[in-house]
Amino acid sequence: MSSIGNVPPAISQLIQTLGEQSQAESKIAYAVAGKQLQAARQTGEAVIQLLEQAVDVQSQLASGKLNVRA
């Protein structure tokens, strides 16, 4: 096994470039995951709002007092 000091400059540059590329890909992956999490939270909040509205309508229907707003 050779030490880093014995690596030709072209190989050393390739390793550095690959490392930089890997870091960039990781940053992109984390950014995408963050956006996916944000979208999932927003979707969950929207579903909760829809369910709350459905419960409200069901309660109004059950009491015979459906409040229809234009």
Side-chain angles (χ1 to χ4, degrees), residues 24-36:
E25 289 172 355
S26 292
K27 287 179 183 179
I28 292 168
Y30 278 109
V32 169
K35 291 295 183 181
Q36 289 173 331

Side-chain angles (χ1 to χ4, degrees), residues 12-70:
S12 178
Q13 181 63 36
L14 177 61
I15 291 170
Q16 181 179 351
T17 301
L18 291 174
E20 290 169 358
Q21 181 180 356
S22 178
Q23 287 178 347
E25 289 172 355
S26 292
K27 287 179 183 179
I28 292 168
Y30 278 109
V32 169
K35 291 295 183 181
Q36 289 173 331
L37 179 59
Q38 182 181 15
R41 284 182 178 156
Q42 290 174 344
T43 300
E45 290 170 1
V47 169
I48 289 170
Q49 289 177 352
L50 287 172
L51 290 172
E52 288 172 344
Q53 290 173 1
V55 168
D56 187 39
V57 168
Q58 182 63 34
S59 296
Q60 290 180 21
L61 283 172
S63 68
K65 300 178 184 176
L66 181 61
N67 184 5
V68 179
R69 298 178 210 145

